[in-house]
Amino acid sequence: LVATPSARLAVDVKAMSAACSLRAGQAAVEARQFDVAKELLKTILEFHPQSDYAFYSVQAKAILSEIDPQSVQVSALRLQ
């Protein structure tokens, strides 16, 4: 007996968008299309800054820091 698979009722569209942009950015880097990669990766930082999408932001920053170090701002925690 085979059960009918249940339909997926909810999709996190923002996470899917960030994942697709990240993968497309990685593919652009591999193809040496750095301008395209920068644009794709910057969209992740602009549209997905929330902590729910921190994985994608961190990955995007890591790739950007390799191809264009000046485009990524590093913030330091200042202890008083």
Side-chain angles (χ1 to χ4, degrees):
L1 297 170
V2 176
T4 304
S6 61
R8 188 169 190 167
L9 299 176
V11 173
D12 186 344
V13 178
K14 289 183 181 180
M16 205 159 58
S17 168
C20 290
S21 294
L22 181 61
R23 180 62 193 114
Q26 291 168 332
V29 169
E30 291 169 6
R32 304 189 62 76
Q33 298 294 319
F34 300 118
D35 290 335
V36 173
K38 284 190 275 188
E39 290 302 315
L40 288 164
L41 297 168
K42 285 179 181 180
T43 62
I44 296 171
L45 301 180
E46 291 173 17
F47 296 111
H48 305 289
Q50 302 89 348
S51 62
D52 291 343
Y53 309 104
F55 170 80
Y56 303 108
S57 295
V58 169
Q59 294 296 314
K61 284 180 184 178
I63 297 169
L64 278 170
S65 70
E66 291 179 17
I67 62 173
D68 187 17
Q70 295 177 350
S71 70
V72 180
Q73 292 182 347
V74 178
S75 60
L77 177 62
R78 193 169 105 174
L79 300 175
Q80 294 181 2

